[in-house]
PDB file of all heavy atoms in Angstrom:
ATOM      1  N   PHE A 102      50.236  24.907 -25.852  1.00 98.00           N
ATOM      2  CA  PHE A 102      49.487  25.593 -24.802  1.00 98.00           C
ATOM      3  C   PHE A 102      49.915  25.028 -23.460  1.00 98.00           C
ATOM      4  O   PHE A 102      49.957  23.806 -23.275  1.00 98.00           O
ATOM      5  CB  PHE A 102      47.976  25.401 -24.983  1.00 98.00           C
ATOM      6  CG  PHE A 102      47.171  26.007 -23.852  1.00 98.00           C
ATOM      7  CD1 PHE A 102      46.859  27.358 -23.861  1.00 98.00           C
ATOM      8  CD2 PHE A 102      46.752  25.231 -22.779  1.00 98.00           C
ATOM      9  CE1 PHE A 102      46.134  27.927 -22.812  1.00 98.00           C
ATOM     10  CE2 PHE A 102      46.031  25.790 -21.741  1.00 98.00           C
ATOM     11  CZ  PHE A 102      45.721  27.142 -21.763  1.00 98.00           C
ATOM     12  N   HIS A 103      50.254  25.918 -22.521  1.00 97.00           N
ATOM     13  CA  HIS A 103      50.577  25.552 -21.148  1.00 97.00           C
ATOM     14  C   HIS A 103      49.583  26.248 -20.236  1.00 97.00           C
ATOM     15  O   HIS A 103      49.385  27.466 -20.344  1.00 97.00           O
ATOM     16  CB  HIS A 103      51.981  26.010 -20.757  1.00 97.00           C
ATOM     17  CG  HIS A 103      53.081  25.360 -21.509  1.00 97.00           C
ATOM     18  ND1 HIS A 103      53.764  24.266 -21.026  1.00 97.00           N
ATOM     19  CD2 HIS A 103      53.639  25.646 -22.710  1.00 97.00           C
ATOM     20  CE1 HIS A 103      54.701  23.917 -21.895  1.00 97.00           C
ATOM     21  NE2 HIS A 103      54.644  24.726 -22.933  1.00 97.00           N
ATOM     22  N   SER A 104      48.972  25.512 -19.329  1.00 98.00           N
ATOM     23  CA  SER A 104      48.064  26.152 -18.383  1.00 98.00           C
ATOM     24  C   SER A 104      48.849  26.895 -17.315  1.00 98.00           C
ATOM     25  O   SER A 104      49.992  26.554 -16.994  1.00 98.00           O
ATOM     26  CB  SER A 104      47.148  25.119 -17.731  1.00 98.00           C
ATOM     27  OG  SER A 104      47.878  24.258 -16.878  1.00 98.00           O
ATOM     28  N   ALA A 105      48.221  27.941 -16.762  1.00 97.00           N
ATOM     29  CA  ALA A 105      48.797  28.691 -15.650  1.00 97.00           C
ATOM     30  C   ALA A 105      47.902  28.628 -14.417  1.00 97.00           C
ATOM     31  O   ALA A 105      48.372  28.830 -13.300  1.00 97.00           O
ATOM     32  CB  ALA A 105      49.025  30.142 -16.056  1.00 97.00           C
ATOM     33  N   GLY A 106      46.621  28.352 -14.615  1.00 95.00           N
ATOM     34  CA  GLY A 106      45.697  28.297 -13.491  1.00 95.00           C
ATOM     35  C   GLY A 106      44.326  27.807 -13.922  1.00 95.00           C
ATOM     36  O   GLY A 106      44.011  27.750 -15.118  1.00 95.00           O
ATOM     37  N   ILE A 107      43.519  27.450 -12.937  1.00 94.00           N
ATOM     38  CA  ILE A 107      42.145  26.996 -13.162  1.00 94.00           C
ATOM     39  C   ILE A 107      41.224  27.842 -12.291  1.00 94.00           C
ATOM     40  O   ILE A 107      41.442  27.971 -11.083  1.00 94.00           O
ATOM     41  CB  ILE A 107      41.957  25.513 -12.775  1.00 94.00           C
ATOM     42  CG1 ILE A 107      42.963  24.626 -13.484  1.00 94.00           C
ATOM     43  CG2 ILE A 107      40.528  25.063 -13.058  1.00 94.00           C
ATOM     44  CD1 ILE A 107      42.688  24.399 -14.934  1.00 94.00           C
ATOM     45  N   ILE A 108      40.189  28.416 -12.901  1.00 94.00           N
ATOM     46  CA  ILE A 108      39.215  29.218 -12.167  1.00 94.00           C
ATOM     47  C   ILE A 108      37.868  28.515 -12.207  1.00 94.00           C
ATOM     48  O   ILE A 108      37.283  28.371 -13.290  1.00 94.00           O
ATOM     49  CB  ILE A 108      39.086  30.626 -12.769  1.00 94.00           C
ATOM     50  CG1 ILE A 108      40.442  31.336 -12.781  1.00 94.00           C
ATOM     51  CG2 ILE A 108      38.048  31.440 -12.006  1.00 94.00           C
ATOM     52  CD1 ILE A 108      40.436  32.644 -13.553  1.00 94.00           C
ATOM     53  N   PRO A 109      37.340  28.019 -11.077  1.00 92.00           N
ATOM     54  CA  PRO A 109      36.009  27.401 -11.081  1.00 92.00           C
ATOM     55  C   PRO A 109      34.938  28.447 -11.384  1.00 92.00           C
ATOM     56  O   PRO A 109      34.947  29.542 -10.826  1.00 92.00           O
ATOM     57  CB  PRO A 109      35.871  26.855  -9.656  1.00 92.00           C
ATOM     58  CG  PRO A 109      37.268  26.790  -9.118  1.00 92.00           C
ATOM     59  CD  PRO A 109      38.000  27.922  -9.766  1.00 92.00           C
ATOM     60  N   LEU A 110      34.018  28.104 -12.269  1.00 93.00           N
ATOM     61  CA  LEU A 110      32.925  29.002 -12.641  1.00 93.00           C
ATOM     62  C   LEU A 110      31.581  28.525 -12.113  1.00 93.00           C
ATOM     63  O   LEU A 110      30.560  29.157 -12.370  1.00 93.00           O
ATOM     64  CB  LEU A 110      32.866  29.143 -14.166  1.00 93.00           C
ATOM     65  CG  LEU A 110      34.120  29.680 -14.842  1.00 93.00           C
ATOM     66  CD1 LEU A 110      33.934  29.735 -16.346  1.00 93.00           C
ATOM     67  CD2 LEU A 110      34.504  31.051 -14.299  1.00 93.00           C
ATOM     68  N   GLY A 111      31.584  27.402 -11.381  1.00 87.00           N
ATOM     69  CA  GLY A 111      30.344  26.845 -10.862  1.00 87.00           C
ATOM     70  C   GLY A 111      29.966  25.563 -11.564  1.00 87.00           C
ATOM     71  O   GLY A 111      30.179  25.406 -12.770  1.00 87.00           O
ATOM     72  N   ASP A 112      29.419  24.628 -10.776  1.00 85.00           N
ATOM     73  CA  ASP A 112      29.016  23.320 -11.286  1.00 85.00           C
ATOM     74  C   ASP A 112      30.212  22.648 -11.973  1.00 85.00           C
ATOM     75  O   ASP A 112      31.255  22.460 -11.372  1.00 85.00           O
ATOM     76  CB  ASP A 112      27.824  23.442 -12.238  1.00 85.00           C
ATOM     77  CG  ASP A 112      26.584  23.956 -11.525  1.00 85.00           C
ATOM     78  OD1 ASP A 112      26.427  23.642 -10.319  1.00 85.00           O
ATOM     79  OD2 ASP A 112      25.792  24.674 -12.160  1.00 85.00           O
ATOM     80  N   ASP A 113      30.063  22.287 -13.227  1.00 90.00           N
ATOM     81  CA  ASP A 113      31.116  21.557 -13.939  1.00 90.00           C
ATOM     82  C   ASP A 113      31.866  22.450 -14.929  1.00 90.00           C
ATOM     83  O   ASP A 113      32.505  21.959 -15.854  1.00 90.00           O
ATOM     84  CB  ASP A 113      30.515  20.364 -14.678  1.00 90.00           C
ATOM     85  CG  ASP A 113      29.382  20.771 -15.614  1.00 90.00           C
ATOM     86  OD1 ASP A 113      28.988  21.961 -15.589  1.00 90.00           O
ATOM     87  OD2 ASP A 113      28.882  19.910 -16.354  1.00 90.00           O
TER      88      ASP A 113
END
Side-chain angles (χ1 to χ4, degrees):
F102 176 83
H103 295 264
S104 68
I107 306 286
I108 303 171
L110 301 179
D112 296 328
D113 55 353

